[in-house]
Amino acid sequence: MILDTLENYAIYTSLHPGLQQFFEAFKQCNPAQYPQGKAHLKGEDAFLIFKEYESKDTKDALMEAHNQYWDIMYMVEGEETVYVKPRKQLKTIVQEYMESGDAMLAELDEDCTPVRLSAGQFLILFPEDAHCPERECTKKQQVKKIIGKLRFAK
């Protein structure tokens, strides 16, 4: 897991040749003209999902983890808590990994680490990083967030 501000993105571009395109898209995002839906950067190998929602409490929340994609989250407006825990330490799996959705699901454990994702920050989550996004920090609030999906395995 990596949490940082967009101004420091160049430190991380050597991790994967596809990362640069995500940071360029994040830099161009304007909250006043925020798009909706999905935008392909390189077909299904690299794409963006533009989300706008109200953050939620942790009731009935589930952790997720992926095998094929890295998640690169960029907070455009607002803030939320993303709970993170090493995938191998999850206690209760509720759905084994399904390739069709590239996800396994687990209950949110009490010992997960809360990570505050605020406007201007990005969070890179690897397959080892089970995560539960979209949770409130201190109160529910409207959020604009881009989720980048970068395939690293086929």
Side-chain angles (χ1 to χ4, degrees), residues 13-46:
T13 55
S14 64
L15 293 174
H16 188 289
L19 273 177
Q20 179 74 33
Q21 62 192 330
F22 289 94
F23 293 124
E24 292 301 325
F26 297 160
K27 288 191 308 186
Q28 294 175 17
C29 188
N30 178 349
Q33 298 174 340
Y34 190 71
Q36 294 294 314
K38 186 174 177 179
H40 292 273
L41 300 175
K42 188 177 177 187
E44 288 299 312
D45 289 336

Side-chain angles (χ1 to χ4, degrees), residues 2-6 9 12 23 73 117 121-124:
I2 297 170
L3 173 69
D4 207 337
T5 59
L6 196 53
Y9 80 90
Y12 308 102
F23 293 124
M73 299 179 183
L117 183 62
Q121 293 181 320
F122 65 87
L123 179 64
I124 301 175

